Coordinates of all heavy atoms in Angstrom, one line a residue:
M975 N -15.5 42.5 -12.9 CA -14.7 43.0 -11.7 C -14.7 41.9 -10.6 O -13.6 41.5 -10.1 CB -15.4 44.2 -11.1 CG -14.6 44.9 -10.0 SD -13.0 45.5 -10.7 CE -12.3 46.4 -9.2
A976 N -15.8 41.3 -10.3 CA -15.9 40.2 -9.3 C -15.0 39.0 -9.8 O -14.3 38.4 -9.0 CB -17.3 39.8 -9.1
D977 N -15.1 38.8 -11.1 CA -14.3 37.7 -11.6 C -12.8 37.9 -11.4 O -12.0 37.0 -11.1 CB -14.5 37.5 -13.1 CG -15.9 36.8 -13.4 OD1 -16.4 36.3 -12.4 OD2 -16.3 36.8 -14.5
E978 N -12.4 39.2 -11.6 CA -10.9 39.4 -11.4 C -10.5 39.2 -10.0 O -9.4 38.7 -9.7 CB -10.6 40.9 -11.9 CG -10.6 41.0 -13.4 CD -10.5 42.4 -13.8 OE1 -9.9 43.3 -13.0 OE2 -10.9 42.7 -14.9
I979 N -11.4 39.6 -9.1 CA -11.1 39.4 -7.6 C -11.0 37.9 -7.3 O -10.1 37.5 -6.6 CB -12.1 40.1 -6.8 CG1 -12.0 41.7 -6.9 CG2 -12.0 39.8 -5.3 CD1 -13.1 42.5 -6.3
D980 N -12.0 37.2 -7.8 CA -12.0 35.7 -7.6 C -10.7 35.1 -8.1 O -10.1 34.3 -7.5 CB -13.2 35.1 -8.3 CG -14.4 35.2 -7.6 OD1 -14.4 35.6 -6.4 OD2 -15.5 34.9 -8.1
L981 N -10.3 35.5 -9.3 CA -9.1 35.0 -10.0 C -7.9 35.4 -9.1 O -7.0 34.5 -8.9 CB -8.9 35.7 -11.4 CG -8.1 34.9 -12.4 CD1 -8.7 33.6 -12.7 CD2 -7.9 35.7 -13.6
A982 N -7.8 36.6 -8.6 CA -6.7 37.0 -7.8 C -6.6 36.2 -6.5 O -5.6 35.7 -6.1 CB -6.8 38.5 -7.5
N983 N -7.8 36.0 -5.9 CA -7.9 35.2 -4.7 C -7.4 33.7 -4.9 O -6.7 33.2 -4.1 CB -9.3 35.1 -4.1 CG -9.6 36.4 -3.3 OD1 -8.7 37.0 -2.8 ND2 -10.9 36.7 -3.2
D984 N -7.8 33.2 -6.1 CA -7.4 31.8 -6.4 C -5.9 31.8 -6.5 O -5.2 30.8 -6.1 CB -8.0 31.4 -7.7 CG -9.4 30.9 -7.5 OD1 -9.9 30.8 -6.4 OD2 -10.1 30.6 -8.5
M985 N -5.3 32.8 -7.2 CA -3.9 32.8 -7.4 C -3.1 32.9 -6.0 O -2.2 32.2 -5.8 CB -3.5 34.0 -8.3 CG -3.7 33.7 -9.7 SD -3.6 35.2 -10.7 CE -1.9 35.5 -10.6
I986 N -3.7 33.7 -5.1 CA -3.1 33.9 -3.8 C -3.2 32.5 -3.1 O -2.2 32.1 -2.5 CB -3.7 35.0 -3.0 CG1 -3.3 36.3 -3.7 CG2 -3.3 35.0 -1.6 CD1 -4.2 37.5 -3.2
D987 N -4.4 31.9 -3.1 CA -4.6 30.6 -2.5 C -3.5 29.6 -2.9 O -2.9 28.9 -2.2 CB -6.0 30.1 -2.7 CG -7.0 30.7 -1.8 OD1 -6.6 31.4 -0.9 OD2 -8.2 30.4 -2.0
N988 N -3.4 29.5 -4.3 CA -2.4 28.6 -4.8 C -1.0 28.8 -4.4 O -0.3 27.9 -4.0 CB -2.4 28.6 -6.4 CG -3.7 27.9 -6.9 OD1 -4.3 27.1 -6.2 ND2 -4.0 28.2 -8.1
E989 N -0.6 30.1 -4.4 CA 0.7 30.5 -4.0 C 1.0 30.1 -2.5 O 2.0 29.5 -2.1 CB 1.0 32.0 -4.1 CG 1.2 32.4 -5.6 CD 2.5 31.7 -6.1 OE1 3.5 31.7 -5.5 OE2 2.4 31.2 -7.2
V990 N 0.0 30.4 -1.7 CA 0.1 30.2 -0.2 C 0.2 28.7 0.1 O 1.1 28.2 0.8 CB -1.1 30.8 0.6 CG1 -1.1 30.3 2.0 CG2 -1.0 32.3 0.5
S991 N -0.7 27.9 -0.6 CA -0.7 26.4 -0.3 C 0.6 25.8 -0.8 O 1.2 24.9 -0.2 CB -1.9 25.7 -0.8 OG -2.0 25.9 -2.2
R992 N 1.1 26.3 -1.9 CA 2.4 25.8 -2.5 C 3.5 26.1 -1.5 O 4.4 25.2 -1.3 CB 2.6 26.3 -3.9 CG 3.5 25.4 -4.7 CD 3.4 25.7 -6.2 NE 3.7 27.1 -6.5 CZ 3.4 27.7 -7.6 NH1 2.8 27.0 -8.6 NH2 3.7 29.0 -7.8
A993 N 3.6 27.3 -1.1 CA 4.6 27.7 -0.2 C 4.6 26.9 1.1 O 5.6 26.5 1.7 CB 4.5 29.2 0.1
L994 N 3.4 26.7 1.7 CA 3.2 25.9 2.9 C 3.7 24.5 2.7 O 4.4 23.9 3.6 CB 1.7 25.9 3.3 CG 1.3 27.2 4.0 CD1 -0.2 27.1 4.3 CD2 2.1 27.5 5.3
K995 N 3.3 23.9 1.6 CA 3.7 22.5 1.3 C 5.2 22.4 1.2 O 5.8 21.5 1.8 CB 3.1 22.1 0.0 CG 3.1 20.6 -0.2 CD 2.4 20.2 -1.5 CE 2.5 18.7 -1.7 NZ 2.1 18.3 -3.0
K996 N 5.8 23.4 0.6 CA 7.3 23.4 0.5 C 8.0 23.5 1.8 O 8.9 22.7 2.1 CB 7.7 24.6 -0.4 CG 9.0 24.4 -1.1 CD 9.3 25.5 -2.1 CE 10.8 25.6 -2.4 NZ 11.1 26.8 -3.1
L997 N 7.4 24.4 2.7 CA 8.0 24.6 4.0 C 7.9 23.3 4.8 O 8.8 22.9 5.5 CB 7.2 25.7 4.7 CG 7.7 27.1 4.4 CD1 6.8 28.1 5.1 CD2 9.2 27.3 4.8
R998 N 6.7 22.7 4.7 CA 6.4 21.4 5.5 C 7.4 20.3 5.0 O 8.0 19.6 5.9 CB 5.0 21.0 5.2 CG 4.4 20.3 6.4 CD 2.9 20.3 6.4 NE 2.3 20.2 5.1 CZ 1.2 20.8 4.8 NH1 0.5 21.6 5.6 NH2 0.7 20.7 3.5
Q999 N 7.6 20.2 3.7 CA 8.6 19.2 3.2 C 10.0 19.5 3.7 O 10.7 18.6 4.0 CB 8.4 19.1 1.7 CG 7.2 18.4 1.3 CD 7.1 18.1 -0.2 OE1 7.8 18.8 -1.0 NE2 6.2 17.2 -0.6
Q1000 N 10.3 20.8 3.7 CA 11.7 21.2 4.1 C 11.9 20.8 5.6 O 12.9 20.3 5.9 CB 11.9 22.7 3.9 CG 12.3 23.0 2.4 CD 12.4 24.5 2.2 OE1 12.0 25.3 3.0 NE2 12.8 24.8 1.0
A1001 N 10.9 21.1 6.4 CA 10.9 20.8 7.8 C 11.1 19.3 8.0 O 11.9 18.8 8.8 CB 9.7 21.3 8.5
L1002 N 10.4 18.5 7.2 CA 10.5 17.0 7.3 C 11.8 16.5 6.9 O 12.4 15.6 7.4 CB 9.4 16.4 6.5 CG 8.0 16.5 7.1 CD1 6.9 16.1 6.1 CD2 7.9 15.5 8.3
N1003 N 12.4 17.2 5.8 CA 13.7 16.8 5.3 C 14.8 17.0 6.3 O 15.7 16.2 6.5 CB 14.0 17.5 4.0 CG 13.2 16.9 2.8 OD1 12.8 15.8 2.9 ND2 13.0 17.7 1.8
V1004 N 14.6 18.1 7.0 CA 15.6 18.5 8.1 C 15.6 17.4 9.1 O 16.7 16.9 9.6 CB 15.3 19.8 8.7 CG1 16.1 20.0 10.0 CG2 15.6 20.9 7.7
Q1005 N 14.4 16.8 9.4 CA 14.3 15.8 10.5 C 14.7 14.4 9.9 O 14.7 13.4 10.6 CB 12.9 15.7 11.0 CG 12.5 16.9 11.8 CD 11.0 16.9 12.0 OE1 10.3 15.9 11.8 NE2 10.5 18.1 12.3
G1006 N 15.1 14.4 8.6 CA 15.5 13.1 8.0 C 14.3 12.3 7.6 O 14.5 11.1 7.4
A1007 N 13.1 12.8 7.5 CA 12.0 12.0 7.1 C 12.0 11.6 5.7 O 12.5 12.3 4.8 CB 10.7 12.8 7.4
K1008 N 11.4 10.5 5.4 CA 11.3 10.1 4.0 C 9.8 10.0 3.7 O 8.9 10.0 4.5 CB 11.9 8.7 3.8 CG 13.4 8.7 4.1 CD 14.2 7.9 3.1 CE 15.7 8.1 3.2 NZ 16.2 8.1 4.6
F1009 N 9.5 9.9 2.4 CA 8.2 9.9 1.9 C 7.8 8.5 1.3 O 8.7 7.9 0.7 CB 7.9 11.0 0.9 CG 8.0 12.4 1.6 CD1 9.3 13.0 1.6 CD2 7.0 13.0 2.1 CE1 9.4 14.2 2.2 CE2 7.1 14.2 2.8 CZ 8.3 14.8 2.8
C1010 N 6.6 8.1 1.5 CA 6.1 6.8 1.0 C 6.3 6.8 -0.5 O 6.0 7.7 -1.2 CB 4.6 6.7 1.3 SG 3.8 5.3 0.6
V1011 N 6.9 5.7 -1.0 CA 7.1 5.6 -2.5 C 5.8 5.4 -3.2 O 5.8 5.6 -4.4 CB 8.1 4.4 -2.8 CG1 9.4 4.7 -2.2 CG2 7.5 3.1 -2.3
E1012 N 4.7 5.0 -2.5 CA 3.4 4.9 -3.2 C 2.6 6.2 -3.3 O 2.1 6.5 -4.3 CB 2.6 3.8 -2.5 CG 3.2 2.4 -2.6 CD 2.6 1.6 -3.8 OE1 1.6 2.0 -4.3 OE2 3.2 0.7 -4.2
C1013 N 2.5 6.8 -2.1 CA 1.5 7.9 -2.1 C 2.2 9.3 -1.7 O 1.5 10.3 -1.5 CB 0.4 7.6 -1.2 SG 0.8 7.5 0.6
D1014 N 3.5 9.3 -1.4 CA 4.2 10.5 -1.1 C 3.8 11.1 0.3 O 4.2 12.2 0.6 CB 3.9 11.6 -2.1 CG 4.9 11.5 -3.3 OD1 5.9 10.8 -3.1 OD2 4.6 12.1 -4.3
D1015 N 3.1 10.3 1.1 CA 2.9 10.7 2.5 C 4.2 10.6 3.3 O 5.0 9.7 3.0 CB 1.8 9.9 3.2 CG 0.4 10.4 2.9 OD1 0.3 11.4 2.2 OD2 -0.5 9.8 3.5
P1016 N 4.4 11.5 4.3 CA 5.6 11.3 5.1 C 5.5 10.1 5.9 O 4.4 9.7 6.4 CB 5.6 12.6 6.0 CG 4.2 13.2 5.9 CD 3.6 12.7 4.6
I1017 N 6.6 9.4 6.1 CA 6.7 8.1 6.8 C 7.2 8.5 8.2 O 8.3 9.1 8.3 CB 7.6 7.1 6.2 CG1 7.1 6.8 4.8 CG2 7.7 5.8 7.0 CD1 8.0 5.9 3.9
P1018 N 6.6 8.0 9.3 CA 7.0 8.3 10.7 C 8.5 7.7 10.9 O 8.8 6.7 10.3 CB 6.0 7.6 11.6 CG 4.8 7.4 10.7 CD 5.3 7.3 9.3
K1019 N 9.2 8.5 11.7 CA 10.6 8.1 11.9 C 10.7 6.6 12.4 O 11.6 5.9 12.0 CB 11.2 9.0 13.0 CG 12.7 8.8 13.3 CD 13.6 9.5 12.3 CE 15.0 9.5 12.7 NZ 15.6 8.1 12.8
A1020 N 9.8 6.2 13.3 CA 9.9 4.9 13.8 C 9.8 3.8 12.7 O 10.5 2.8 12.7 CB 8.7 4.6 14.8
R1021 N 9.0 4.1 11.7 CA 8.8 3.1 10.5 C 10.1 3.2 9.7 O 10.6 2.1 9.2 CB 7.6 3.5 9.7 CG 6.3 3.2 10.3 CD 5.2 3.4 9.3 NE 5.2 2.5 8.2 CZ 4.7 1.2 8.4 NH1 4.3 0.8 9.5 NH2 4.8 0.4 7.3
Q1022 N 10.7 4.4 9.5 CA 11.9 4.4 8.7 C 13.0 3.6 9.3 O 13.8 3.0 8.7 CB 12.3 5.9 8.6 CG 11.5 6.8 7.8 CD 11.9 8.2 7.8 OE1 13.1 8.5 7.7 NE2 11.0 9.1 7.9
D1023 N 13.1 3.7 10.7 CA 14.1 3.0 11.4 C 14.0 1.5 11.2 O 15.0 0.8 11.2 CB 14.1 3.3 12.9 CG 14.6 4.7 13.2 OD1 15.2 5.3 12.2 OD2 14.3 5.2 14.3
L1024 N 12.8 1.0 10.9 CA 12.6 -0.4 10.6 C 12.8 -0.7 9.2 O 12.7 -1.9 8.7 CB 11.1 -0.8 11.0 CG 10.9 -0.7 12.6 CD1 9.4 -0.9 12.8 CD2 11.7 -1.7 13.3
G1025 N 13.1 0.3 8.4 CA 13.5 0.1 7.0 C 12.3 0.1 6.0 O 12.4 -0.3 4.9
F1026 N 11.1 0.6 6.5 CA 10.0 0.7 5.6 C 10.1 1.8 4.6 O 10.6 2.9 4.9 CB 8.7 0.9 6.5 CG 8.2 -0.3 7.2 CD1 8.4 -0.5 8.5 CD2 7.5 -1.2 6.5 CE1 8.0 -1.6 9.2 CE2 7.0 -2.4 7.2 CZ 7.3 -2.5 8.5
K1027 N 9.7 1.5 3.4 CA 9.7 2.6 2.4 C 8.2 3.0 2.1 O 8.0 3.8 1.2 CB 10.3 2.1 1.1 CG 11.8 1.9 1.2 CD 12.4 1.5 -0.1 CE 13.9 1.5 0.0 NZ 14.5 0.5 0.9
L1028 N 7.3 2.4 2.8 CA 5.9 2.7 2.6 C 5.2 3.2 3.9 O 5.7 2.8 4.9 CB 5.1 1.4 2.1 CG 5.5 0.8 0.8 CD1 4.8 -0.6 0.7 CD2 5.1 1.6 -0.4
C1029 N 4.2 4.0 3.7 CA 3.5 4.5 4.9 C 2.6 3.3 5.4 O 2.5 2.3 4.6 CB 2.6 5.7 4.6 SG 1.3 5.4 3.5
K1030 N 2.0 3.4 6.5 CA 1.3 2.3 7.1 C 0.1 1.8 6.2 O 0.0 0.6 5.9 CB 0.7 2.7 8.5 CG 0.3 1.5 9.3 CD 0.3 1.8 10.8 CE 0.0 0.7 11.7 NZ -1.4 0.3 11.6
P1031 N -0.8 2.7 5.7 CA -1.9 2.2 4.9 C -1.4 1.5 3.6 O -1.9 0.5 3.2 CB -2.6 3.5 4.5 CG -2.3 4.5 5.5 CD -0.9 4.2 6.0
C1032 N -0.3 2.0 3.0 CA 0.2 1.4 1.8 C 0.8 0.1 2.1 O 0.7 -0.9 1.3 CB 1.2 2.3 1.1 SG 0.5 3.8 0.3
A1033 N 1.5 0.0 3.2 CA 2.2 -1.3 3.6 C 1.1 -2.3 3.9 O 1.3 -3.5 3.5 CB 3.0 -1.1 4.9
E1034 N 0.0 -1.9 4.5 CA -1.1 -2.9 4.8 C -1.7 -3.4 3.5 O -2.0 -4.6 3.3 CB -2.1 -2.2 5.7 CG -1.6 -2.2 7.2 CD -2.5 -1.3 8.0 OE1 -3.5 -0.8 7.5 OE2 -2.3 -1.3 9.2
E1035 N -1.9 -2.4 2.6 CA -2.5 -2.8 1.3 C -1.5 -3.8 0.5 O -2.0 -4.7 -0.1 CB -2.7 -1.5 0.5 CG -3.1 -1.7 -1.0 CD -4.5 -2.4 -1.1 OE1 -5.3 -2.3 -0.1 OE2 -4.8 -2.9 -2.1
N1036 N -0.2 -3.5 0.7 CA 0.8 -4.3 0.0 C 0.7 -5.8 0.6 O 0.8 -6.7 -0.1 CB 2.2 -3.7 0.3 CG 2.9 -3.5 -0.9 OD1 2.4 -3.6 -2.0 ND2 4.2 -3.3 -0.8
E1037 N 0.7 -5.8 1.9 CA 0.6 -7.1 2.6 C -0.6 -7.9 2.2 O -0.6 -9.1 2.0 CB 0.6 -6.9 4.2 CG 1.9 -6.6 4.7 CD 3.0 -7.7 4.4 OE1 2.6 -8.9 4.7 OE2 4.0 -7.4 3.9
R1038 N -1.8 -7.2 2.1 CA -3.0 -7.8 1.7 C -2.9 -8.4 0.4 O -3.3 -9.5 0.1 CB -4.2 -6.7 1.8 CG -5.6 -7.3 2.0 CD -6.6 -6.2 2.0 NE -6.6 -5.3 0.8 CZ -7.2 -5.7 -0.3 NH1 -7.8 -6.8 -0.4 NH2 -7.1 -4.9 -1.4
R1039 N -2.3 -7.6 -0.6 CA -2.1 -8.1 -1.9 C -1.2 -9.4 -2.0 O -1.5 -10.3 -2.7 CB -1.6 -7.0 -2.8 CG -2.6 -6.4 -3.7 CD -2.0 -5.4 -4.6 NE -1.9 -4.1 -3.9 CZ -1.1 -3.1 -4.3 NH1 -0.3 -3.2 -5.3 NH2 -1.1 -1.9 -3.7
K1040 N -0.2 -9.3 -1.2 CA 0.8 -10.4 -1.1 C 0.1 -11.7 -0.6 O 0.3 -12.8 -1.2 CB 2.0 -10.1 -0.2 CG 3.3 -9.9 -1.0 CD 4.5 -9.8 -0.1 CE 4.6 -8.5 0.6 NZ 5.8 -8.4 1.4
S1041 N -0.7 -11.5 0.5 CA -1.4 -12.7 1.0 C -2.4 -13.2 0.1 O -2.7 -14.4 0.1 CB -2.0 -12.4 2.4 OG -3.0 -11.4 2.2
L1042 N -3.0 -12.4 -0.8 CA -4.0 -12.9 -1.8 C -3.2 -13.8 -2.8 O -3.7 -14.8 -3.1 CB -4.6 -11.7 -2.5 CG -5.7 -11.0 -1.8 CD1 -6.2 -9.8 -2.7 CD2 -6.9 -11.9 -1.5
F1043 N -2.0 -13.3 -3.2 CA -1.3 -14.1 -4.1 C -0.8 -15.4 -3.5 O -0.8 -16.5 -4.1 CB 0.0 -13.3 -4.6 CG -0.4 -12.3 -5.7 CD1 -0.1 -11.0 -5.5 CD2 -0.9 -12.8 -6.9 CE1 -0.5 -10.1 -6.5 CE2 -1.3 -11.9 -7.9 CZ -1.0 -10.5 -7.7
A1044 N -0.4 -15.3 -2.2 CA 0.1 -16.5 -1.5 C -1.0 -17.6 -1.4 O -0.7 -18.8 -1.4 CB 0.5 -16.1 -0.1
N1045 N -2.3 -17.2 -1.3 CA -3.4 -18.2 -1.2 C -3.7 -18.8 -2.5 O -4.5 -19.8 -2.5 CB -4.6 -17.5 -0.6 CG -4.4 -17.1 0.9 OD1 -3.6 -17.8 1.5 ND2 -5.1 -16.2 1.3
D1046 N -3.2 -18.4 -3.6 CA -3.5 -18.9 -4.9 C -3.1 -20.4 -5.0 O -2.0 -20.7 -4.7 CB -2.9 -18.1 -6.0 CG -3.9 -17.0 -6.5 OD1 -5.0 -17.1 -6.0 OD2 -3.5 -16.1 -7.2
Ligands
ZN1784 ZN1 1.7 5.5 1.3

């Protein structure tokens, strides 16, 4: 019995979080937001206007890797 209740709760949790994620993405899409090509995090509008396709952490990681290669 307890297992069935746990299972039902898990299913409800999954449904709710999936619905919330969808709503959040729709809201962002309405605002014209784009998502990082590396990690799927939303990119702030200010960064998009500068033409960035990566969120800040990913862009910094990218730069760090590039500068490592440049020093070779
Ligand atoms: Zn990212």
